[in-house]
Amino acid sequence: GAVVSQHPSRVICKSGTSVKIECRSLDFQATTMFWYRQFPKQSLMLMATSNEGSKATYEQGVEKDKFLINHASLTLSTLTVTSAHPEDSSFYICSASDRGSEQYFGPGTRLTVT
Amino acid sequence: GENVEQHPSTLSVQEGDSAVIKCTYSDSASNYFPWYKQELGKGPQLIIDIRSNVGEKKDQRIAVTLNKTAKHFSLHITETQPEDSAVYFCAASWGSSNTGKLIFGQGTTLQVKP
């Protein structure tokens, strides 16, 4: 149990375009989902926290207009990187949790912006 | 805010030896301390966690200890195997439930030599 999937696993896009990443909890209802970014050989940095049906809470320094997060259902959250630039290239990881449980992480999405 | 320091950054052991990774946290309100294993190109996988009302927890070859007074917690892996080679992250969270934000340590790259 407690499986979280992400789609796509890898994506390459051109500078200036937008990319959407999906995060799904497959066998449980996720009241809260988290989005992280991880640069090579670095730790995970929390970008934002989203609760189903409400606006995401962004960490300091994360541009909410650039990284659009939608948590429309208890099993799906999406992260859209708008007007992507090469510096947005990174490994994006989501996690999901149910009330009172630990966070389960997805397999990550490798974004490359050319 | 919370800060988590993790040491060492790299650790190399011989197969069968023990490995110990240590973390310290700054916020005394932190009450949940998970450890994650991350293999190359994958998302973190929860391997063990401990809550602030417990001093030690064990799961087969893996154990975690928590010293609330000193604000540090450690991961112990005994009888290491080559498949234990990965990056390990500690994290700390606080709040009334453990669905709060996770603050990650910097990570430890463990290499187990056969």
Side-chain angles (χ1 to χ4, degrees):
Chain A
V3 179
V4 176
S5 70
Q6 278 185 244
H7 179 81
S9 58
R10 289 176 174 269
V11 58
I12 301 173
C13 71
K14 292 188 175 180
S15 187
T17 62
S18 295
V19 174
K20 180 185 284 189
I21 302 170
E22 291 186 349
C23 176
R24 292 180 185 274
S25 56
L26 299 185
D27 51 3
F28 68 102
Q29 293 186 323
T31 53
T32 308
M33 286 186 168
F34 303 84
W35 286 95
Y36 296 83
R37 181 166 50 183
Q38 185 178 35
F39 292 107
K41 298 188 185 300
Q42 292 189 23
S43 188
L44 285 79
M45 297 299 295
L46 180 66
M47 298 175 68
T49 303
S50 74
N51 292 294
E52 184 263 339
S54 58
K55 289 184 179 180
T57 301
Y58 289 80
E59 293 300 299
Q60 193 171 10
V62 178
E63 300 173 60
K64 57 182 68 175
D65 294 331
K66 182 171 183 61
F67 299 99
L68 302 178
I69 291 171
N70 184 278
H71 191 165
S73 77
L74 284 171
T75 59
L76 173 65
S77 177
T78 60
L79 167 67
T80 301
V81 183
T82 63
S83 186
H85 291 287
E87 57 265 31
D88 298 323
S89 299
S90 188
F91 194 49
Y92 291 86
I93 310 171
C94 72
S95 71
S97 68
D98 192 4
R99 200 179 305 277
S101 71
E102 58 263 28
Q103 290 186 31
Y104 298 98
F105 283 80
T109 297
R110 174 74 59 192
L111 170 63
T112 303
V113 184
T114 61
Chain B
E2 174 67 286
N3 184 50
V4 178
E5 295 289 329
Q6 183 173 345
H7 298 281
S9 57
T10 59
L11 180 58
S12 182
V13 300
Q14 209 65 39
E15 182 178 1
D17 288 350
S18 295
V20 180
I21 303 170
K22 299 182 179 181
C23 288
T24 58
Y25 59 98
S26 60
D27 192 337
S28 57
S30 294
N31 57 12
Y32 175 62
F33 308 92
W35 284 89
Y36 292 90
K37 176 183 181 182
Q38 187 179 29
E39 297 177 341
L40 192 62
K42 297 184 179 180
Q45 179 185 14
L46 178 70
I47 56 171
I48 196 167
D49 58 13
I50 192 167
R51 290 171 174 77
S52 58
N53 58 348
V54 177
E56 183 174 357
K57 185 176 178 180
K58 203 171 183 179
D59 183 3
Q60 298 182 343
R61 297 186 298 109
I62 296 173
V64 56
T65 58
L66 171 65
N67 183 327
K68 286 173 57 181
T69 303
K71 290 190 282 189
H72 66 68
F73 56 112
S74 301
L75 176 71
H76 304 252
I77 305 175
T78 58
E79 300 171 34
T80 54
Q81 301 166 2
E83 50 265 38
D84 294 330
S85 297
V87 180
Y88 291 81
F89 291 98
C90 63
S93 178
W94 68 99
S96 57
S97 76
N98 59 351
T99 55
K101 296 193 299 186
L102 284 175
I103 303 301
F104 282 82
Q106 295 82 358
T108 297
T109 300
L110 174 63
Q111 181 185 29
V112 180
K113 298 178 182 176

